[in-house]
Amino acid sequence: MNNDVTEAVLRLQGGLMSGRLQPWRAEQTEEALNALLAKPQRTGVPFHLARNALSDARKKLQRRSDLLADRAAEIDVMAETGSTGGAPGAGGYEVLRREVIDTVNRRSTPADREILAVALEGGTAGDVAAALGVDYDIAKVRLSRARSRARAAWV
């Protein structure tokens, strides 16, 4: 990794480690870090590298959010009509719910599965904090990230 990318990564990592970022901004910063680390031989002004990586990450997350919104509407319609889009005579919402849970469980880490299990039972960030024994703000971030990764796994 060259010095330009190293400095840009340190700049982004410093903001992430401060713990003062909103969950969406923290996720954006993580995406930007992944993009920078994917091409460690980039050159340029470190400030510009970090800024551009954040901009690209924002666009990527927005596209993902838009795609999920479209998919969520489709899932809602399937649940209301009792159709799972390929399972004739299936039990509608419950079948779809089990399919989503199974897919997410197969593709999630054990830590995410633990967090999502609490959330699926109607738990809040406070419940996640109690289950994990962590601070409420940390639980909010972990829950947000776990949900985001679960959405990505399903889409």
Side-chain angles (χ1 to χ4, degrees), residues 71 74-75 77-79 81-93 95-96 99 154:
R71 184 70 184 221
E74 176 184 321
I75 290 171
V77 167
M78 289 166 41
T81 62
S83 167
T84 57
Y93 178 78
V95 172
L96 179 63
E99 180 183 332
W154 171 246

Side-chain angles (χ1 to χ4, degrees), residues 21-45:
L21 296 178
Q22 296 294 324
W24 197 89
R25 181 67 174 188
E27 186 174 357
Q28 179 186 12
T29 303
E30 286 180 359
E31 288 288 338
L33 285 167
N34 290 338
L36 284 171
L37 295 173
K39 296 183 181 176
Q41 298 308 319
R42 286 185 189 164
T43 58
V45 178

Side-chain angles (χ1 to χ4, degrees), residues 24 28 52 54-66:
W24 197 89
Q28 179 186 12
N52 292 344
L54 282 170
S55 175
D56 292 344
R58 181 191 56 77
K59 291 173 189 172
K60 179 180 178 182
L61 291 173
Q62 187 61 50
R63 282 191 306 269
R64 185 183 300 164
S65 176
D66 292 345

Side-chain angles (χ1 to χ4, degrees), residues 85-121:
Y93 178 78
E94 281 304 314
V95 172
L96 179 63
R97 183 176 187 271
R98 274 186 260 126
E99 180 183 332
V100 170
I101 292 170
D102 289 345
T103 301
V104 169
N105 280 335
R106 278 195 316 273
R107 296 181 183 176
S108 296
T109 64
D112 280 357
R113 281 195 295 270
E114 183 179 4
I115 293 168
L116 292 170
V118 173
L120 281 171
E121 295 299 321

